Amino acid sequence: MSNAANFDDLQSRLDQLAERFQDLDDEDGVALPELVTDAFVSRHTRFKSLDELFAASGFKVETQEDFAALPEKEWDQFIRSVSGFDSWQTLLGAAGEEWAKRKLGL
């Protein structure tokens, strides 16, 4: 393959990546189950799904309001006890990185 063909291929891939990045930037928000997928939960905890994680927590988490009302210190303590993450925010950050990579096709 010639250098020009290699360059064209690279330019095409960079253009696709830039387009995906723009699509990612245009997202208003990400639903929690899309961010913290069952696959992510399975890899990082002893649970198979986000629903199973919530159920095991001892907290009532059935609505967005329930989730927002979780006591932060106790929730973080639970997350530390069932995962390798220090806090819910750390877990969300890792899940966000994976989500972004999926969206960007990396």
Side-chain angles (χ1 to χ4, degrees), residues 79-91:
I79 294 301
R80 274 192 300 279
S81 74
V82 299
S83 75
F85 297 103
D86 291 336
S87 69
W88 176 247
Q89 288 303 315
T90 306
L91 183 148

Side-chain angles (χ1 to χ4, degrees), residues 54-102:
F54 286 150
S57 72
F59 297 105
K60 178 185 171 203
V61 185
E62 296 173 0
T63 66
Q64 198 167 11
E65 291 78 21
D66 291 342
F67 184 75
L70 287 172
E72 187 175 343
K73 286 184 182 183
E74 290 87 350
W75 181 245
D76 284 344
Q77 184 177 8
F78 172 71
I79 294 301
R80 274 192 300 279
S81 74
V82 299
S83 75
F85 297 103
D86 291 336
S87 69
W88 176 247
Q89 288 303 315
T90 306
L91 183 148
L92 281 181
E97 286 179 25
E98 286 189 18
W99 176 84
K101 287 178 182 177
R102 283 193 312 273

